[in-house]
Amino acid sequence: MFGIVKKIKHDVRDKTLYMEIFGDNKVAYRVLSGKMLMYGDEVITYGIEVVDKKSGDMECIADFSRNIEDAVAFAESLITNKSRPQQLYSRALDYLRVSI
């Protein structure tokens, strides 16, 4: 049995840096604010970006949440766990699994 999953692409515009924290592991954790169109309405969304200053690796989830408290709490959990950019998506799934 095969299935097709179509991912709807939402482009985040007008990105602004809301918060940036440098961890002791030389990794920058950023919370970004932006706007995107969702079903014809413009909504504010908050994203997470993790940048490793030593290797240059970067991962970003541009539309992590529409709630700033969730985005900041997730960024704090990344800092606490000293997460690397490669771990961003698995940590996001763990966080959303618990918070939903």
Side-chain angles (χ1 to χ4, degrees):
M1 179 174 174
F2 293 100
I4 297 175
V5 177
K6 181 180 177 185
K7 182 179 178 188
I8 299 172
K9 178 100 169 125
H10 296 288
D11 292 328
V12 178
R13 300 177 287 118
D14 302 331
K15 290 183 188 176
T16 307
L17 183 64
Y18 180 81
M19 177 181 84
E20 180 175 36
I21 297 174
F22 289 100
D24 58 352
N25 56 348
K26 305 265 194 267
V27 176
Y29 303 94
R30 298 177 180 149
V31 177
L32 307 171
S33 173
K35 297 177 186 174
M36 67 182 206
L37 286 175
M38 185 175 279
Y39 305 112
D41 294 329
E42 188 174 75
V43 295
I44 295 175
T45 186
Y46 299 97
I48 303 292
E49 186 175 79
V50 181
V51 181
D52 188 341
K53 296 296 185 175
K54 286 171 38 179
S55 68
D57 292 340
M58 181 187 85
E59 289 293 335
C60 180
I61 302 175
D63 57 345
F64 178 75
S65 177
R66 290 178 55 190
N67 185 345
I68 187 64
E69 287 92 7
D70 286 338
V72 171
F74 177 58
E76 288 174 353
S77 73
L78 290 173
I79 295 164
T80 301
N81 294 319
K82 297 183 181 180
S83 300
R84 312 300 284 170
Q86 302 86 345
Q87 299 170 314
L88 179 62
Y89 293 100
S90 62
R91 300 279 183 180
L93 287 174
D94 287 342
Y95 181 82
L96 292 173
R97 178 181 51 87
V98 171
S99 68
I100 290 181

